[in-house]
Amino acid sequence: MVALVGFVAILIAAPLFLDPIIRTSVERNMNARLKGYETRVARAHLRLLDGALTLGDVTLIQKAHARSPVGHFPVLSIEIQWSELLTGHVVADLLLFHPRLHIDLTQLRSERADKVPFSKKGWQDAIESIYPVKINHFTVDDADVTYVDTDPTRPLRLEHLYIAADNIRNTRSARIAYPSPIKAEATVFDVGQASINGRANFLTKPTASLEATYHIENVPLKQFKPELDRINLDVSGGTLTSDGFVEYGTKTRRVEVKS
């Protein structure tokens, strides 16, 4: 009985000492791999019983415009994907809950002017430095993404964005071109809807490839006015609804618009 009480006491007390060390280590490791960006991690908690790691209030900052954070991640959680242990694979499950991304034209122009391409900013290495096991399942739940161009009253915004991707490490069906099922859906500009459903290959080089059907419904075109003005196209109303198919790979890039 004494041994059991002592074990429970250790499980309760250990995070008090470990969590600050883990928080500092995670923040340092991510920033060592990112180029042009840095992160600030407010909290970290390691659950000793199953090894689950949760980061709280992670802020992503573009160094060129440090006063306006690009992203905020209230909850970033990584844990072992237990179902894959039965197949002999030790991989992890990543969850981002209610992340918020906010990008404006000034930040976008700085990114375009940077000699280091966006795809080579070290994103994958930074994520992999958080946890010692490769990510195999990825979920984004209830995200908000906002882009502000020249007119702050016409932001391009996706709300309640949900993304799920499985078999990222190709632990199953590795011989097919697109082994990873993906799904995404979001509310567009308050009233529209958008979704994709398909498959991807996250291990292709230099970028991931995918094939998916898409559906766009009731998207108001007036929100695109600042962007369309650049090509001398004036749109003051109307909506966009469309269905089709998209394939983006190392050798094939095509879009089939069915309606």
Side-chain angles (χ1 to χ4, degrees):
M1 184 65 180
V2 175
L4 178 61
V5 172
F7 178 70
V8 173
I10 291 174
L11 289 180
I12 294 174
L16 298 177
F17 299 96
L18 289 177
D19 288 351
I21 297 174
I22 293 172
R23 185 206 69 78
T24 302
S25 176
V26 166
E27 185 178 86
R28 182 177 61 248
N29 290 339
M30 292 181 68
N31 289 335
R33 289 160 175 79
L34 289 173
K35 298 177 177 64
Y37 292 82
E38 67 178 11
T39 61
R40 296 174 184 169
V41 182
R43 298 184 304 278
H45 175 65
L46 178 64
R47 201 163 57 202
L48 295 179
L49 284 176
D50 59 3
L53 175 63
T54 300
L55 306 181
D57 290 326
V58 179
T59 303
L60 178 64
I61 300 167
Q62 186 185 40
K63 291 182 179 180
H65 304 282
R67 294 184 178 182
S68 302
V70 174
H72 178 245
F73 306 87
V75 177
L76 188 159
S77 177
I78 307 178
E79 61 182 28
I80 297 295
Q81 192 178 13
W82 298 104
S83 60
E84 288 298 320
L85 289 178
L86 299 176
T87 65
H89 297 95
V90 182
V91 288
D93 188 346
L94 171 64
L95 167 66
L96 297 175
F97 179 72
H98 197 41
R100 298 186 294 276
L101 299 179
H102 189 282
I103 305 167
D104 59 33
L105 182 59
T106 302
Q107 294 167 329
L108 184 62
R109 284 173 173 169
S110 294
E111 183 60 51
R112 288 176 175 173
D114 197 327
K115 295 180 180 179
V116 180
F118 185 78
S119 60
K120 295 184 179 181
K121 297 288 187 177
W123 306 109
Q124 184 174 341
D125 291 339
I127 292 295
E128 291 181 350
S129 72
I130 297 175
Y131 203 72
V133 178
K134 300 288 187 179
I135 304 299
N136 191 55
H137 184 90
F138 178 78
T139 304
V140 176
D141 190 3
D142 196 25
D144 284 351
V145 180
T146 303
Y147 170 70
V148 178
D149 202 274
T150 55
D151 186 354
T153 66
R154 298 177 188 266
L156 304 183
R157 187 177 183 189
L158 300 179
E159 298 176 278
H160 309 300
L161 173 62
Y162 173 83
I163 305 173
D166 194 21
N167 194 31
I168 295 173
R169 307 309 305 180
N170 296 3
T171 58
R172 292 166 272 122
S173 306
R175 294 183 179 181
I176 64 177
Y178 301 102
S180 308
I182 59 170
K183 179 181 180 180
E185 55 189 29
T187 300
V188 185
F189 312 152
D190 297 324
V191 295
Q193 298 293 323
S195 64
I196 65 170
N197 200 327
R199 304 185 71 86
N201 190 332
F202 293 95
L203 302 183
T204 54
K205 300 292 184 178
T207 59
S209 55
L210 67 87
E211 61 174 11
T213 58
Y214 74 84
H215 174 71
I216 302 173
E217 181 177 355
N218 196 38
V219 174
L221 295 176
K222 64 180 181 180
Q223 293 297 117
F224 293 100
K225 182 173 176 56
E227 292 77 21
L228 294 176
D229 283 346
R230 294 196 183 96
I231 57 173
N232 298 320
L233 182 61
D234 185 23
V235 176
S236 59
T239 61
L240 171 65
T241 297
S242 180
D243 288 279
F245 173 84
V246 176
E247 183 176 10
Y248 182 92
T250 56
K251 298 181 179 180
T252 304
R253 297 180 184 180
R254 63 190 175 111
V255 178
E256 297 179 3
V257 181
K258 298 181 180 179
S259 65

